[in-house]
Each structure stands twice: as structure tokens, then as C-alpha cells.
Amino acid sequence: MSRIVERKLEALQEALDAFEWPETGAMASASKLLASKIETDLPVEEDRRRTQRYASKGYRPTHPAGLSAGEYEFTLTLGEDAEDFTISVEDDWTNADLLQAVADAVNGSTLPANAEIVTQGAAQQKIKGLMAVGQALVVTVNQTLADQDLALKDASGHLIESLGLYTLDALEGDATQITYHVQGEQPYAPSTYLTNAFDPNEATTLSAGLHSIDYEIGELTGSVGFAVKEGDTWEDVLDALSNQFNSQAHITAETVAEQRVAELENGYVLVDGAALRIQAKDAKAGWRLRLSGDDLNALGLNATASPGADGRLAINGATYVQTPGVFAADQGALRITLNGVFGDSLPLKVVSSLDNLQTLMTGVVEAYNDLRGTLVRNEDLLEPGYAEQWRDALAAESFGLKSIGLQEFGQKKEVWLNADAFYSALSSNPGRVRGLLDSGEKTLIPAWRTITERALSRGGDAALISASEAGAGVLSEPQARTENELAKGAMLLDLYDDLPSPSVKSGDPEEGSLVQAKA
């Protein structure tokens, strides 16, 4: 009996934990399989960032470029970083040549911005907000980067001005309620190196003097230097390396706990140690971190722990590549983080938060009634008042809850949910519904969470009264029975199983389901 009560409590707790008031008017809905592979976020309007930031006017690719032959200079800035480019336009260049040259310059830069050439037969055919017909240049930056202030400006000549670049605005209002078909092709993983695990208090085996490690990441190359003094420990060396790597623009390093092998008189044992993890950061797609130098063997950096991978996600049949692996859809109104590979194309729906809330509330009511029915049927085995503690929150706001479609019904005092009334209340005055359900510790959902968590922490056994309190025979040992008595019992069970199920009639808890579906 105690385990049955615990299972019902766990089911109610799960339903209550799933009930979450949305921050926007839309919600992302995915199957359990898809939800285990991706994370979704619908940011509020002021926090939205779309991946596509700038677009050019439309061009006919085979027409002449329309710029005089010569050198043109422009500057790309992202946050406080800037990079200059020079493009040599030739006499026979077409529009396609010009767009490709600018795209190659941006994609070859050390700044984590990218450019692509998009062809549309009609305005907004492939990208929302892109009005160009024909070929257009689109400049992108991942919305997860700290720096989002992207700009292109002419330094000499009027190349950028001639492209007619304009800002692609983020979506206004709620996310569009549509279905996306997504397929996880490859989760993002940063390029990572990991040193051996060392005893941080042990003297380093590196010789005293100046040391250096060379690095390459994409188009960037450089070197980090660090000094080793007599008596330095491995902790001193790892700290020095960490400081030097963290001073580089696209590399990050941190000391992490790792197991190391320690030698004993009679064998070896694994003990805690310290290692340095070095990773690429804010890298462009395709960039990989590579280290080289004389000290790599001594540090254990002679082989990369992980070469890294760009995130690849197919959305409605088109594959997108992002580093890091956070993808923006619906002009930034929907963010998708890919955590695992899945071969099939699966639906990800953006639905009204009202529909989702109604589904979550239905789950809570069904779990509560399941628990309530079990407790009422076995009331004589339970502590006095055990089944009634959940009713206090209902009784405190019974009139208000009834007005939004929630009320107690019948001798068991289970809860009936009128979905039409609940949905209507949500549509007309969501603030009032939240005020009754989820706006303070004493409102229904938080109060039920508290009671359920307390009941689970005590365990199912705590709900049961002792055998002596229950009275003679209630929890007594089973008694021997004759074959005739067993046969009568079996006949009664057969009659019970043959009884028809109660009909489900909308709008009347006397005759049907305690959860009436919305019409």
C-alpha cells in the first residue's frame, strides 16, 4: 500500500513540476525523443537576436558589376574588434564575381562573422525580411557571441555603399505558430586539448627558463610564452599557462580536476590531480585549434583530446552550420541547441502557450484525481486527515477556481476541469488565472507542490496507521479459505470485469469524465 501511495505522489509531483507559466505567448512543443536531443528557447522580444544581420540589394548574377576597375577598401567590425580588407575589382567582373569577392573576404577574416550568397525567385522566399530578388549577399553572426555590434563600412571607394546593405530586423510580436521539421546531423564540440593530470604540489619536471607553445586556429597563428623558475610546482606552471592562453582572443583555458596515477610500494592507485583544459572559443565554422612546441610531450599535449566539430542542424530540409551549435529560426524568435544526433526528421511545433497551459493543467488534474481516488478508497488505512491536506488550497479559492473551470465534485471530492471555461478565462484574463493558480506560495500549484514534496519526503509508510490502530483483522494475516469460497470470489470478479465503462459526456461531471476536453 505504501508503495502505491508513493507512486501516485511521484506522478503528481511530476505533473506539478511540468506546470510552468510561459514568458511569451507561444511555446515550443516536442516529442520526448526530440526533447532529449535538443533544447529550445523562445526569447522575449527585446532579447531576440537573429543570425542573419545584413543583406544587400538583389543582383542579376551575369550582369556587369557596375564598379570601375581598381582597389576598394572596407572595414568589418564586431564589437571592439575590426579588420580591414582590400578588393581589386577587374574590368570584366560580373555581379556574381563582386558578391563572391566580398563573401570570401568576410569568411576569410579572423572575426567570427560569415557571409553567404542567397538566390531568391521572390521576396522572402528563403529568408524572412530578405526582399532581394536574384542574388544577394547576407552577412551573419551567431547570436550566442558576447559581441553583437556588427558593421561594414567603406574605407576607400564606395563598394559597401553600392551593395545597398540594410539591417534584417528581428521578428516583432510572438513567435510564429508553425511546425518545423528538424534533423540533428552533428552536435557542436569545441576543439579541446587536455594536459596530463599532475600533483599540483609536486615540483615540475620542466626546466627553469622561458618556454613557449605555438598555436593555430583558423587563419590565426601565434605563440604563448611562460617562464619556469627553480622550485616551481605544477600548480605554478598550469596557472602561468592558463593566464597566457586566456589572454588570446579565441582561446580559453581553465584548470580542471582529473584522476592521475600515483605509485605505491605495492602497486598503483588513482588519486585526484590537476590538469589544464585548453579550448577554442568564439571560433568560426571550420576553425580547429592546433598546438605545437617542444614542451607538448612533457605536458601531455602531444595529442588533441578532441578535434572539435561544427554544429549541423537541418531545418525543413536545409542544413545550417553554426559554431557554437545554437541555431536561430523565425528571425531569432526560436532558438534551437543541438545536443545529440538523430537520423529521422522530427516535428518541432511552436504552439499557443494557452493550449500548452491547458494541457499541463489537465495533467495536474488527472494526477491529483488518481492520487485522491487511491487515498479515499483506503481512508481507513491512512492517518486521519491525510487525504484532506491537498483540499485546503482548493477550499481557500473555491469560488475563483470555479470561475475558471476548476471545481470539486462528488463524494470523493475529486476535481473537475471544464476545459472550455479554463481556456476562455486564459484568453480573456490570463493574469487573473495566474493569480489563482501560480502567483504565490498559497495559490494552488505552489501549495500542492509543497504538500506533495513533504508527503514524499516522509515516505508512503508515514501515511499508514499502525495495525493496532487499524483494528483487528484490517492488517491481519490471510486466512485459509475453502474451494467453494474461492469460486464465489472468482465469480464476483468476473461480474465486476463485465460491467460497462461509464460514458463520457461533455460538460457534465455527473455523467462523464472529470476532465472535459475543450470543444
Side-chain angles (χ1 to χ4, degrees):
M1 177 62 191
S2 63
R3 184 59 194 133
I4 294 174
V5 172
E6 286 180 0
R7 285 202 300 267
K8 306 295 185 183
L9 288 170
E10 288 166 356
L12 178 57
Q13 184 183 49
E14 183 177 347
L16 290 166
D17 288 343
F19 190 92
E20 183 178 4
W21 204 268
E23 296 298 326
T24 68
M27 297 286 291
S29 176
S31 65
K32 286 187 177 180
L33 173 60
L34 184 57
S36 69
K37 301 292 186 180
I38 66 170
E39 296 175 24
T40 58
D41 176 35
L42 275 69
V44 295
E45 191 171 331
E46 56 268 25
D47 293 336
R48 289 176 193 159
R49 298 168 174 175
R50 68 178 297 167
T51 300
Q52 301 97 358
R53 305 305 291 277
Y54 287 98
S56 74
K57 62 187 180 182
Y59 287 91
R60 293 183 178 180
T62 58
H63 282 210
L67 286 177
S68 301
E71 291 190 344
Y72 294 81
E73 298 177 1
F74 69 93
T75 301
L76 174 69
T77 60
L78 184 58
E80 297 181 352
D81 298 323
E83 195 163 341
D84 297 323
F85 304 92
T86 300
I87 291 180
S88 297
V89 176
E90 298 179 9
D91 286 325
D92 59 348
W93 270 24
T94 62
N95 288 329
D97 294 326
L98 179 63
L99 294 178
Q100 191 63 56
V102 177
D104 289 344
V106 172
N107 291 331
S109 74
T110 61
L111 300 179
N114 290 283
E116 61 178 326
I117 298 173
V118 177
T119 302
Q120 293 191 147
Q124 305 190 88
Q125 182 185 50
K126 292 186 177 179
I127 297 178
K128 285 186 177 181
L130 179 59
M131 307 307 296
V133 176
Q135 283 192 347
L137 181 75
V138 177
V139 184
T140 66
V141 60
N142 196 299
Q143 79 258 243
T144 62
L145 299 177
D147 289 327
Q148 289 288 313
D149 189 12
L150 178 71
L152 291 92
K153 295 180 180 179
D154 286 308
S156 176
H158 303 284
L159 171 61
I160 299 301
E161 180 183 348
S162 72
L163 295 176
L165 292 180
Y166 62 95
T167 302
L168 290 167
D169 296 327
L171 178 71
E172 294 183 358
D174 291 334
T176 308
Q177 294 177 29
I178 58 175
T179 298
Y180 298 91
H181 293 277
V182 297
Q183 183 175 352
E185 297 182 358
Q186 181 172 269
Y188 164 74
S191 290
T192 303
Y193 279 80
L194 186 68
T195 69
N196 291 334
F198 301 103
D199 180 347
N201 300 313
E202 186 178 275
T204 180
T205 58
L206 295 180
S207 61
L210 294 177
H211 296 257
S212 67
I213 294 176
D214 297 326
Y215 67 83
E216 175 187 340
I217 177 169
E219 301 297 321
L220 293 172
T221 58
S223 179
V224 296
F226 61 101
V228 177
K229 303 188 299 295
E230 292 289 346
D232 274 357
T233 63
W234 278 115
E235 182 177 24
D236 297 324
V237 171
L238 296 183
D239 285 346
L241 269 174
S242 177
N243 291 335
Q244 291 300 313
F245 274 116
N246 282 319
S247 67
Q248 309 304 306
H250 296 287
I251 303 176
T252 183
E254 64 174 336
T255 302
V256 295
E258 288 287 328
Q259 291 284 297
R260 64 184 183 86
V261 177
E263 186 175 357
L264 301 177
E265 291 183 1
N266 56 348
Y268 299 89
V269 65
L270 287 175
V271 298
D272 291 337
L276 188 68
R277 183 168 59 208
I278 306 164
Q279 289 183 327
K281 72 170 184 178
D282 293 350
K284 299 180 68 166
W287 281 17
R288 301 293 181 261
L289 175 64
R290 293 179 176 85
L291 302 180
S292 59
D294 295 336
D295 294 316
L296 261 59
N297 284 337
L299 291 166
L301 292 170
N302 53 311
T304 182
S306 171
D310 301 324
R312 296 173 60 89
L313 178 70
I315 304 175
N316 294 337
T319 296
Y320 298 87
V321 180
Q322 287 289 358
T323 300
V326 181
F327 302 83
D330 199 8
Q331 295 173 267
L334 171 64
R335 292 177 189 160
I336 305 171
T337 302
L338 177 62
N339 295 325
V341 174
F342 50 98
D344 295 328
S345 181
L346 300 175
L348 172 62
K349 297 180 181 180
V350 178
V351 299
S352 166
S353 60
L354 301 185
D355 291 335
N356 192 64
L357 267 179
Q358 181 180 281
T359 300
L360 295 175
M361 193 67 225
T362 297
V364 170
V365 169
E366 290 176 342
Y368 171 76
N369 287 337
D370 195 22
L371 171 66
R372 175 79 187 167
T374 298
L375 298 182
V376 171
R377 285 194 301 272
N378 298 278
E379 193 171 10
D380 55 339
L381 301 179
L382 303 173
E383 289 182 340
Y386 184 86
E388 304 306 302
Q389 53 187 325
W390 282 268
R391 296 188 59 218
D392 291 342
L394 283 165
E397 287 289 353
S398 60
F399 181 79
L401 293 173
K402 183 177 181 180
S403 71
I404 65 171
L406 283 166
Q407 66 182 93
E408 288 186 320
F409 160 75
Q411 292 182 341
K412 291 182 181 179
K413 297 300 180 184
E414 294 177 323
V415 173
W416 178 48
L417 172 63
N418 184 326
D420 281 332
F422 186 71
Y423 194 87
S424 177
L426 274 175
S427 302
S428 60
N429 195 343
R432 180 171 180 271
V433 177
R434 185 173 189 178
L436 290 165
L437 292 178
D438 194 22
S439 65
E441 293 181 2
K442 294 184 179 180
T443 52
L444 186 65
I445 299 298
W448 275 3
R449 282 196 190 109
T450 300
I451 297 166
T452 305
E453 288 169 2
R454 184 171 61 236
L456 277 171
S457 67
R458 293 178 62 202
D461 290 335
L464 303 178
I465 59 177
S466 66
S468 59
E469 291 173 324
V474 174
L475 297 178
S476 59
E477 292 294 323
Q479 303 296 314
R481 303 176 67 186
T482 66
E483 290 186 9
N484 187 45
E485 289 172 329
L486 291 172
K488 287 182 179 179
M491 291 174 63
L492 289 173
L493 287 175
D494 290 339
L495 286 171
Y496 178 80
D497 289 337
D498 291 337
L499 289 174
S501 300
S503 61
V504 178
K505 295 185 178 180
S506 175
D508 188 356
E510 295 280 355
E511 301 183 21
S513 171
L514 293 181
V515 178
Q516 176 228 332
K518 180 169 69 71

